Amino acid sequence: MTDDLFLNDVAERLAALPAVRAVTLGGSRAQGTHTPESDWDLALYYRGGFDPAELRAIGWEGEVSGLGDWGGGVFNGGAWLTIDGRRVDVHYRDLDVVDHELAESRQGRFHWEPLMFHLAGIPSYLVVAELALNQVLRGTLPRPEYPEALRAAAPPVWRGRAALTLRYASAAYAVRGQATEVAGAVATAAMETAHAVLAARGEWVTNEKRLLERAGLRGIDALVGGLRPEPAVLAEAIADAEALLEATAAG
């Protein structure tokens, strides 16, 4: 089966599920940066009582989560599937939640949520970013611009989180020579700063995979690579990280 036929067939079957109003293609395949080995990132947008059991009943190989199993926030569940030999991720998107976060983003308001595999967690406007970037396969969805209010409000929030992350690392980890904890804090603070940089530019973010490159923060690798479990070395590294992140955020 060709990729086009495959995508059409999967989108049609997802769109036919009860309560589903739209289906989108996201990730690298929606943005044209994929390779032949890239997986397929799909999202189903539902209104009302979507039941993941309906998705499970299609019979595709893989794992189908319940609603809320991935944290219960804006990123509230999905499935990891293999379909016709292709790796497919399906994300659940509650249209009531999406509508709310779209309205909030236009007022410069958002909140932070933890999410597995994301060092810095995610902003609630991630679901708005998906509307802006993903390819609609079935149904109709809004295509928002980056709100000016969000460009003004989000960067200081992310910069503040980064500063607190490093401050805590200095007080709690560096003085004890805990290099692993310092490495984690520096990496997290770099991701938080990258969010600030891209928000200030009005550039949407949907994951962390290329976040440091896009923000010009790949140089943090050398700093992390030089860590040793010695308080003086760790304190200096945190100071260097603070300088690098502040300069990047200001630039």
Side-chain angles (χ1 to χ4, degrees):
M1 186 183 294
T2 67
D3 283 350
D4 287 344
L5 288 174
F6 163 78
L7 185 58
N8 183 70
D9 179 66
V10 174
E12 191 70 18
R13 299 182 76 175
L14 291 176
L17 295 174
V20 173
R21 300 290 180 265
V23 178
T24 65
L25 172 69
S28 62
R29 290 188 179 274
Q31 298 176 40
T33 59
H34 63 283
T35 68
E37 292 73 34
S38 297
D39 59 6
W40 297 75
D41 294 305
L42 300 174
L44 56 84
Y45 288 77
Y46 65 90
R47 182 87 68 185
F50 172 70
D51 185 353
E54 301 284 353
L55 173 58
R56 194 175 294 112
I58 294 176
W60 287 323
E61 177 187 351
E63 178 183 343
V64 177
S65 84
L67 292 175
D69 285 358
W70 291 2
V74 297
F75 213 111
N76 73 334
W80 294 327
L81 306 170
T82 300
I83 306 173
D84 191 42
R86 296 167 169 90
R87 291 178 291 112
V88 179
D89 295 343
V90 178
H91 299 153
Y92 309 151
R93 292 291 178 266
D94 185 332
L95 278 167
D96 290 340
V97 172
V98 172
D99 290 346
H100 173 75
E101 295 305 335
L102 175 57
E104 287 288 280
S105 71
R106 287 171 171 164
Q107 298 300 315
R109 295 191 293 263
F110 71 99
H111 64 272
W112 173 91
E113 293 181 2
L115 183 65
M116 285 197 54
F117 318 124
H118 290 69
L119 293 176
I122 60 169
S124 54
Y125 57 79
L126 180 146
V127 294
V128 184
E130 292 175 334
L131 294 177
L133 298 176
N134 290 359
Q135 177 184 341
V136 179
L137 304 175
R138 296 292 187 279
T140 303
L141 294 169
R143 180 74 71 178
E145 299 292 333
Y146 205 107
E148 286 301 318
L150 191 62
R151 288 187 66 175
V157 173
W158 285 112
R159 290 196 302 270
R161 292 185 68 89
L164 288 174
T165 298
L166 291 181
R167 188 182 307 168
Y168 185 85
S170 179
Y173 302 142
V175 294
R176 295 179 172 88
Q178 294 173 315
T180 298
E181 289 87 338
V182 169
V186 168
T188 299
M191 291 293 188
E192 291 164 339
T193 301
H195 272 290
V197 170
L198 294 183
R201 293 179 190 164
E203 295 183 17
W204 293 112
V205 174
T206 57
N207 59 57
E208 291 183 344
K209 292 178 183 177
R210 297 180 179 85
L211 188 51
L212 294 182
E213 286 87 349
R214 291 175 61 191
L217 279 168
R218 196 74 266 172
I220 204 75
D221 289 344
L223 192 154
V224 173
L227 296 179
R228 299 195 308 275
E230 302 168 16
V233 172
L234 298 178
E236 182 178 0
I238 290 173
D240 290 344
E242 288 172 336
L244 173 62
L245 300 184
E246 288 174 5
T248 302

